[in-house]
Amino acid sequence: MGCNCGGGAQQTVNAFQLILPDGSVRVYYTWQEAHAANLRAGGVGTIVPVSQ
């Protein structure tokens, strides 16, 4: 049987943060929205899943 190295209970991803190089952070509720916004910004941001 494989190891569940995560340890405790799994958390659900509730949102995605788009972090832009200028330091601004925007929150989107689907990955598709965050990805589209990142493309509009020139594709220079980082999308991070967050659990709330």
Side-chain angles (χ1 to χ4, degrees), residues 27-45:
V27 176
Y28 298 94
Y29 293 101
T30 67
W31 182 87
Q32 289 84 357
E33 288 177 312
H35 181 64
N38 188 30
L39 291 178
R40 288 192 301 271
V44 295

Side-chain angles (χ1 to χ4, degrees), residues 1-23:
M1 183 169 189
C3 171
N4 180 6
C5 298
Q10 291 181 326
Q11 293 183 339
T12 301
V13 172
N14 293 338
F16 296 86
Q17 286 184 338
L18 173 60
I19 304 170
L20 297 172
D22 67 359

